[in-house]
Amino acid sequence: MTAPGWVEHVIWWQVYPLGFVGAFPADPAPGPAEHRLRRIVDWLDHAVALGASGIALGPIFASRTHGYDTTDHYRIDPRLGDDGDFDFFIGEAHRRGLRVLLDGVFNHVGPDFPRDRQAWFRDYPFEGHGDLTTLNHDNPEVADYVVDVMAHWLRRGADGWRLDAAYAVPPPFWAAVLPRVRASHPDAWFLGELIHGDYAAAVKTAGFDSATQYELWKAIWSTLNDGNFYELDWALQRHNDFLGSFSPLTFIGNHDVTRIASRLEHPDHYAHALVLLMTLGGIPSVYAGDELGYRGVKEERFGGDDAVRPDFGAPPASLDEHGAQVWALHQYLIGLRRRHPWLHAATTSTMLLDNRRYLYRTHSGDEALIVALNIDETPLQMSVPRAQVIAGSGAPPDDVVDTVLVEPQGWRILRPS
């Protein structure tokens, strides 16, 4: 099984629609006449300017609250609009060359999902959430339903599916469903949400094209906060193994976690996290607002996601000096990523490793870059193969060097000559 070729070049800009357009939480809730899905269209030029080549949407189907309590998978959430708004969104995204990924919540449904077929449901809630009922994935009618829903929206113009809580669904269910969808939509891409466990085995057994790389996400911010590059190095060894069988979705933020700007204890380390995201193998995703330096802390309580899922209003974004710097850094590093598409399949080799300094070679075939990260209070200096400095904090570009020198809390990207 091979993922569609277009995925090798995609960089996702992830949006949580209900929050982004101010539809949830909202009192009173907007109705379809407000066509709020079209408000995301107003931001598509922002995504293009960022350098993204795809829009990964959170839930857009009818639900009662946050979107993950689906009521009807065939109906656009009336708080966002209707079918016409979806068609308009797809048309405007594709006109700009942007792929569209939909969020498929097929492990569980909300309390308003029709209950006329009791054999479709398990007798327990999803992860203790009393308002989320787990589907019976052993029932072939449920499989038929999921196949039909996926194919319906792919026919309407979607390019792929994120499979929510894929880790909680029995892998044989996906292994039976996905080939049936691919038979009529061979260019579609399927991302499984995995958090723990053996990612490579799960991807192989279920038949996903990719999986969410939570191990790497955790290792990036934890390494930078703790001053322990050994943790990151271990995670990258695992990441190399994954890349041997599939390309993981990499990220430093999404709709389910505290924003990276709030998670990191040292503001200069935002750049280090982004450098890692854009120079490691896989399929990068940027959570809307992270490119503007937004902050937000996820809390384990009712409404605890609201801070990381804000209303964006109308573009353009209003940026202070820090926000402008974060935006410019995203544009530059995403541009670098797109100029080096081989990074999609790149693996890493460690050149220098200690608690607070890390030098690695990211490479695929004959192509390579050298990345130096220094989170210490003293400079990093090390001999390297003759290389050209192409990016870095406070570094003049185009210098050809045989010694890399990185100031405290700094970074460099070099291209071997």
Side-chain angles (χ1 to χ4, degrees), residues 255-309:
H255 66 296
D256 277 332
V257 301
T258 290
R259 285 194 181 270
I260 189 67
S262 295
R263 176 76 72 174
L264 292 174
E265 296 171 2
H266 195 301
D268 286 347
H269 295 170
Y270 199 126
H272 297 79
L274 188 60
V275 168
L276 285 162
L277 178 64
M278 292 303 163
T279 60
L280 298 176
I283 301 164
S285 177
V286 176
Y287 182 48
D290 283 356
E291 77 279 14
L292 305 172
Y294 283 14
R295 302 179 66 85
V297 176
K298 176 185 172 71
E299 300 177 4
E300 296 302 325
R301 59 173 178 80
F302 181 78
D305 294 313
D306 296 350
V308 299
R309 302 175 179 180

Side-chain angles (χ1 to χ4, degrees), residues 28 42 47 51 102 116 121 137 145 167 170 183 199 204 208 242 250 252 257 285 299 301 324 338 341 357 364 380 401:
D42 296 339
L102 299 183
D116 55 332
F121 307 104
H137 298 97
Y145 175 81
Y167 57 86
Y199 293 170
K204 181 179 180 180
F208 305 138
F242 299 149
T250 57
I252 54 176
V257 301
S285 177
E299 300 177 4
R301 59 173 178 80
R338 295 189 68 167
R357 301 177 301 167
S364 179
L380 179 160
V401 300

Side-chain angles (χ1 to χ4, degrees), residues 158-173:
D159 295 287
W161 286 92
R162 171 192 179 270
L163 305 173
D164 180 69
Y167 57 86
V169 176
F173 177 83

Side-chain angles (χ1 to χ4, degrees), residues 44 85-96 100 156:
L44 294 182
D85 298 313
F86 177 82
D87 293 340
F88 180 72
F89 179 88
I90 290 289
E92 290 299 301
H94 286 172
R95 185 172 66 83
R96 293 168 170 83
V100 178
R156 296 283 299 274

Side-chain angles (χ1 to χ4, degrees), residues 33-72:
E34 295 189 29
H35 305 286
R36 292 203 180 194
L37 187 61
R38 298 187 182 225
R39 297 188 185 184
I40 305 177
V41 172
D42 296 339
W43 284 86
L44 294 182
D45 289 337
H46 168 91
V48 171
L50 174 65
S53 51
I55 308 297
L57 293 176
I60 60 169
F61 305 120
S63 68
R64 179 188 289 185
T65 60
H66 44 58
Y68 291 98
D69 51 348
T70 312
T71 300
D72 185 348

Side-chain angles (χ1 to χ4, degrees), residues 63-407:
S63 68
R64 179 188 289 185
T65 60
H66 44 58
Y68 291 98
D69 51 348
T70 312
T71 300
D72 185 348
H73 292 88
Y74 292 100
R75 183 186 180 202
I76 298 298
D77 196 305
R79 295 170 293 175
L80 297 175
D82 54 28
D83 275 7
D85 298 313
F86 177 82
D87 293 340
F88 180 72
F89 179 88
I90 290 289
E92 290 299 301
H94 286 172
R95 185 172 66 83
R96 293 168 170 83
L98 297 168
R99 299 280 179 169
V100 178
L101 187 71
L102 299 183
D103 202 344
V105 187
F106 301 122
N107 174 69
H108 50 269
V109 294
D112 298 329
F113 192 89
R115 291 297 196 273
D116 55 332
R117 299 179 180 180
Q118 280 304 118
W120 280 36
F121 307 104
R122 301 286 190 184
D123 59 359
Y124 53 82
F126 171 60
E127 296 184 346
H129 298 282
D131 57 343
L132 300 178
T133 303
T134 303
L135 289 168
N136 178 7
H137 298 97
D138 294 329
N139 187 326
E141 291 184 357
V142 173
D144 291 344
Y145 175 81
V146 172
V147 168
D148 194 66
V149 169
M150 285 188 182
H152 172 82
W153 294 106
L154 290 170
R155 286 193 300 270
R156 296 283 299 274
D159 295 287
W161 286 92
R162 171 192 179 270
L163 305 173
D164 180 69
Y167 57 86
V169 176
F173 177 83
W174 299 121
V177 163
L178 297 181
R180 294 172 60 188
V181 182
R182 285 192 176 99
S184 54
H185 299 278
D187 207 32
W189 183 68
F190 300 92
L191 165 71
E193 184 194 15
L194 303 181
I195 299 177
H196 308 293
D198 186 339
Y199 293 170
V203 167
K204 181 179 180 180
T205 304
F208 305 138
D209 291 310
S210 183
T212 51
Q213 227 301 29
Y214 268 94
E215 284 187 14
L216 183 59
W217 162 78
K218 192 270 180 184
I220 288 174
W221 62 259
S222 179
T223 286
L224 295 171
N225 281 348
D226 295 346
N228 179 18
F229 273 118
Y230 289 92
E231 179 182 359
L232 178 63
D233 189 68
W234 176 254
L236 288 181
Q237 293 177 49
R238 294 261 299 168
H239 192 63
N240 285 343
D241 291 341
F242 299 149
L243 286 159
S245 56
F246 72 99
S247 292
L249 182 89
T250 57
F251 58 94
I252 54 176
N254 67 27
H255 66 296
D256 277 332
V257 301
T258 290
R259 285 194 181 270
I260 189 67
S262 295
R263 176 76 72 174
L264 292 174
E265 296 171 2
H266 195 301
D268 286 347
H269 295 170
Y270 199 126
H272 297 79
L274 188 60
V275 168
L276 285 162
L277 178 64
M278 292 303 163
T279 60
L280 298 176
I283 301 164
S285 177
V286 176
Y287 182 48
D290 283 356
E291 77 279 14
L292 305 172
Y294 283 14
R295 302 179 66 85
V297 176
K298 176 185 172 71
E299 300 177 4
E300 296 302 325
R301 59 173 178 80
F302 181 78
D305 294 313
D306 296 350
V308 299
R309 302 175 179 180
D311 183 349
F312 273 62
S318 177
L319 298 179
D320 58 16
E321 182 178 355
H322 172 71
Q325 291 173 351
V326 171
W327 167 252
L329 183 62
H330 274 79
Q331 283 185 307
Y332 182 83
L333 289 173
I334 290 174
L336 182 146
R337 176 74 177 215
R338 295 189 68 167
R339 292 191 300 274
H340 299 82
W342 54 267
L343 283 165
H344 168 80
T347 55
T348 58
S349 302
T350 304
M351 301 174 67
L352 170 70
L353 171 62
D354 66 26
N355 283 337
R356 304 183 66 82
R357 301 177 301 167
Y358 194 46
L359 199 74
Y360 63 92
R361 183 173 179 265
T362 182
H363 51 92
S364 179
D366 295 332
E367 302 285 357
L369 294 173
I370 295 172
V371 180
L373 304 175
N374 183 18
I375 59 171
D376 200 31
E377 296 302 328
T378 60
L380 179 160
Q381 184 170 348
M382 180 180 172
S383 297
V384 295
R386 190 166 177 81
Q388 179 187 23
V389 179
I390 61 173
S393 52
D398 301 325
D399 281 357
V400 177
V401 300
D402 50 25
T403 300
V404 62
L405 177 63
V406 185
E407 72 280 3

